Amino acid sequence: MVRGKTQLKRIENTTSRQATFSKRRKGLLKKASELSVLCDADVALIIFSPRGKLNQYASSSMEETIGRYKRHVKNTQDSTSPFVDQNAQPLKHEAQRMSKKIEQLETSKRKLLGEDLGKCSIRGLRKIERQLDRSISIIRARKTSLYRKLIEQLKEKERILVAENAMLREKLRLDQHQISNEDNAAVSIVETALSIGLPDQILNYTLFLQQ
């Protein structure tokens, strides 16, 4: 029978959790020892139990291995810092430039809205006035263009409606003409039936009287 895979989650039962910890701790310490012997690696392993008890393994000296680890981390950080600073410097300048540009745009926006005009000179006010005039011209041109498009659309709808109305009138005229022809044909049939003559009995009685 195939053994199911153990789901990795916290074991809720305290007894089972302690038994699993003890079993896997021994296996982990054994693997660390084997790794050190087979691969000539400097291995240091620190484990704290759920109750806070320390369990450790070191192939040489735990203090020396930890010191070696700290020196390695420090050297790695020192070697990457110039590279990080070198790449971050252009980004910093770009961020400052964008910040100044945003500030200038915000100031210009407030002035166009009629705010913060107390410090503006005559020349600055004239410049703002010219900007507003250009903006108004652009807005009016855009509005006129939209009106023209709307008028063209309405004219096109009008042409379509006029054509549809003409088609309906023509269809109505043809239907009325067809109905008129059918009525005339019916009247003709009735008149023909009435003009055929007298019934046979009356005709025979008339001939008898003539004799």
Side-chain angles (χ1 to χ4, degrees):
M1 182 176 180
V2 180
R3 183 179 178 181
K5 185 177 180 181
T6 304
Q7 186 176 2
L8 293 178
K9 66 177 184 178
R10 184 177 182 274
I11 301 174
E12 297 298 334
N13 185 273
T14 306
T15 304
S16 299
R17 185 167 64 246
Q18 184 62 32
T20 302
F21 172 77
S22 179
K23 180 179 178 181
R24 299 214 171 194
R25 178 195 57 189
K26 293 179 181 179
L28 186 59
L29 292 172
K30 182 180 178 182
K31 291 293 183 182
S33 177
E34 292 175 353
L35 178 63
S36 174
V37 174
L38 294 174
C39 302
D40 195 20
D42 192 2
V43 180
L45 177 62
I46 300 174
I47 304 173
F48 284 97
S49 70
R51 296 180 180 179
K53 184 180 179 180
L54 174 63
N55 298 272
Q56 63 180 359
Y57 168 80
S59 58
S60 57
S61 171
M62 179 64 71
E63 289 76 9
E64 292 180 0
T65 305
I66 293 175
R68 182 180 177 184
Y69 167 76
K70 290 181 177 180
R71 290 191 298 272
H72 176 76
V73 172
K74 183 179 180 180
N75 293 334
T76 303
Q77 292 177 349
D78 293 340
S79 62
T80 56
S81 294
F83 178 76
V84 173
D85 293 339
Q86 183 179 2
N87 289 340
Q89 196 67 23
L91 295 177
K92 185 177 180 181
H93 290 318
E94 181 67 17
Q96 292 176 352
R97 187 181 67 84
M98 294 299 296
S99 179
K100 291 181 180 179
K101 187 175 181 180
I102 291 172
E103 185 177 356
Q104 292 174 357
L105 291 174
E106 289 291 337
T107 303
S108 177
K109 176 184 175 182
R110 288 193 298 269
K111 289 181 180 180
L112 291 175
L113 293 175
E115 301 174 0
D116 298 339
L117 298 178
K119 298 180 180 180
C120 290
S121 61
I122 298 296
R123 184 176 180 182
L125 292 174
R126 289 177 179 175
K127 181 178 179 181
I128 295 173
E129 185 179 8
R130 288 194 297 269
Q131 290 178 349
L132 290 174
D133 290 338
R134 285 196 298 269
S135 299
I136 292 173
S137 299
I138 295 172
I139 292 171
R140 287 175 177 172
R142 177 59 178 169
K143 184 175 68 174
T144 303
S145 176
L146 291 176
Y147 278 147
R148 288 177 180 175
K149 289 182 180 179
L150 182 60
I151 292 172
E152 290 297 328
Q153 292 175 358
L154 293 175
K155 288 183 178 179
E156 182 64 23
K157 289 182 179 180
E158 181 183 9
R159 286 194 291 268
I160 294 173
L161 291 175
V162 170
E164 291 179 351
N165 191 20
M167 291 176 61
L168 291 174
R169 288 179 180 272
E170 181 65 19
K171 183 178 180 181
L172 180 61
R173 187 184 67 80
L174 293 176
D175 292 341
Q176 291 177 347
H177 181 70
Q178 183 178 1
I179 292 173
S180 178
N181 291 337
E182 291 177 353
D183 292 341
N184 293 334
V187 171
S188 177
I189 292 171
V190 172
E191 290 178 352
T192 302
L194 292 175
S195 63
I196 289 176
L198 297 173
D200 293 341
Q201 293 180 357
I202 298 175
L203 182 60
N204 292 333
Y205 179 75
T206 303
L207 292 174
F208 175 78
L209 293 177
Q210 290 178 355
Q211 293 177 356

